[in-house]
Amino acid sequence: MRPHEQGNNQPIDTSLETQIHTDFQKEMTYGDYLQLDQILSSQQLQSTHHDEMLFIIIHQVSELWMKQILHELSAANECICNHDLESAFKMFARVSRIQQQLIKSWDVLSTLTPADYLQFRDKLGHSSGFQSYQNRLIEFTLGYKNQHVLAVYAHQPELHAQMSVALQQPSIYDAAIREMAVRGLPIDPECLNRDWSQPYQPNQSVEQAWLTVYRNVNQYWDLYELAEKLVDIASQQQQWRFNHMTTVERIIGQKTGTGGSSGVMYLRRALDHRFFPELWSLRTQL
């Protein structure tokens, strides 16, 4: 069978359908809407090595997905504060799917061999994923606060101010805890009025409140669903961290990171942190 023929021996019509619009002299195109000229010209290689393109695109795409995660988490946080948990669930589900994309991206980057990376690593200077402010904002939003990282952004006053504001805001977990208190579950007052810039510390009253939710699912179905959505996000955030660590180890071993961190050792220590700790510890108590 010739390439231009179908199974019924009728030739395929390769001409445009008559209704397809082709005159864009005064109208917006697909590329205009997405600003593709700007996006596709932003891969400015610092070397002549073939694989640097992959390295840049992986990180740029990851930053775009992080932007969407922050968009969803911000809206979900607002919904929880307005006692509209149902609307937040869709946003959390989307975040979870995006996290899956980010996790898989490490598989693509792992095709970069140590010898390949060494061909352009010195061109990065001190730039490093450690400096990703969107990743820091995600951590802040999920409750992992660290005011010391703000020093990295001191040379960008507007960004530093944005990060400082985010550091001072209640996290999405703080919003969830407050919602349990609104629903009449006893929560230690120090969890509801604390210094939001400090890392969240596990509290017995919060664990007991979640235990009540899990032991009375029918009564607290929406809070139960909220908890499980948060667990999904926390679990995949840890998976992303783990895949990040193993990919870095595969490519640079135990070398110091370009940004000055201890590299793999720093990433391994980050795995010791758990988002939403009571949602994990309660499982032992059930």
Side-chain angles (χ1 to χ4, degrees):
M1 185 182 297
R2 294 187 179 91
H4 68 278
E5 293 179 343
Q6 294 175 319
N8 60 5
N9 293 323
Q10 295 297 316
I12 299 174
D13 184 4
T14 58
S15 63
L16 285 175
E17 296 179 14
T18 58
Q19 298 302 312
I20 291 180
H21 196 85
T22 59
D23 182 4
F24 290 98
Q25 291 296 321
K26 298 180 179 180
E27 295 192 49
M28 179 175 63
T29 67
Y30 170 82
D32 295 333
Y33 175 67
L34 297 178
Q35 299 187 51
L36 289 181
D37 287 347
Q38 182 176 345
I39 292 173
L40 298 179
S41 63
S42 65
Q43 293 74 46
Q44 302 297 317
L45 277 66
Q46 302 299 309
S47 75
T48 59
H49 195 271
H50 173 82
D51 287 342
E52 189 184 355
M53 179 69 80
L54 170 68
F55 189 80
I56 292 174
I57 287 178
I58 284 288
H59 288 86
Q60 287 182 336
V61 170
S62 295
E63 290 293 334
L64 285 172
W65 279 131
M66 288 181 189
K67 182 174 183 177
Q68 186 66 34
I69 286 177
L70 288 167
H71 181 65
E72 301 296 339
L73 289 178
S74 176
N77 200 347
E78 185 176 348
C79 287
I80 295 171
C81 290
N82 291 329
H83 318 298
D84 180 13
L85 303 191
E86 290 289 338
S87 295
F89 296 157
K90 178 181 179 180
M91 297 159 190
F92 285 138
R94 183 173 292 163
V95 169
S96 182
R97 295 293 182 89
I98 294 171
Q99 287 176 305
Q100 292 171 24
Q101 295 293 316
L102 288 170
I103 290 167
K104 293 298 292 182
S105 71
W106 296 121
D107 290 344
V108 182
L109 189 60
S110 68
T111 63
L112 181 69
T113 69
D116 293 330
Y117 185 47
L118 285 174
Q119 296 297 314
F120 62 87
R121 187 177 191 245
D122 64 322
K123 301 295 185 181
L124 303 180
H126 290 300
S127 64
S128 165
F130 180 87
Q131 298 145 17
S132 170
Y133 73 88
Q134 290 199 122
N135 185 42
R136 295 299 179 191
L137 287 173
I138 290 172
E139 291 182 338
F140 286 2
T141 303
L142 297 180
Y144 184 35
K145 304 292 185 71
N146 181 356
Q147 62 181 349
H148 300 294
V149 302
L150 296 186
V152 175
Y153 313 103
H155 67 294
Q156 297 172 284
E158 290 186 7
L159 178 57
H160 187 275
Q162 178 187 352
M163 299 288 289
S164 297
V165 169
L167 185 73
Q168 301 290 337
Q169 296 299 311
S171 72
I172 207 158
Y173 192 51
D174 293 317
I177 292 171
R178 182 176 296 169
E179 181 63 16
M180 287 197 294
V182 169
R183 296 282 291 274
L185 292 165
I187 300 292
D188 191 332
E190 71 179 30
C191 293
L192 304 174
N193 297 283
R194 65 182 186 86
D195 183 352
W196 308 118
S197 69
Q198 296 302 307
Y200 177 80
Q201 299 298 324
N203 183 281
Q204 186 64 28
S205 71
V206 173
E207 181 175 290
Q208 289 301 314
W210 284 125
L211 278 169
T212 299
V213 169
Y214 273 72
R215 287 169 176 161
N216 300 273
V217 172
N218 291 335
Q219 181 181 353
Y220 298 107
W221 174 258
D222 55 348
L223 289 173
Y224 172 73
E225 184 69 10
L226 172 61
E228 286 299 293
K229 294 293 187 188
L230 291 175
V231 168
D232 284 343
I233 290 172
S235 179
Q236 297 204 85
Q237 195 70 9
Q238 287 296 81
Q239 184 65 51
W240 181 84
R241 284 172 162 180
F242 179 80
N243 283 25
H244 184 188
M245 180 194 71
T246 55
T247 301
V248 169
E249 186 169 23
R250 176 172 178 162
I251 296 174
I252 69 168
Q254 301 298 318
K255 290 185 180 70
T256 300
T258 50
S261 74
S262 57
V264 170
M265 290 303 296
Y266 169 81
L267 297 174
R268 183 170 287 124
R269 286 197 301 272
L271 286 171
D272 292 335
H273 170 262
R274 269 261 167 95
F275 297 99
F276 323 137
E278 292 90 353
L279 292 178
W280 297 97
S281 60
L282 72 83
R283 282 154 164 75
T284 304
Q285 307 300 323
L286 283 173

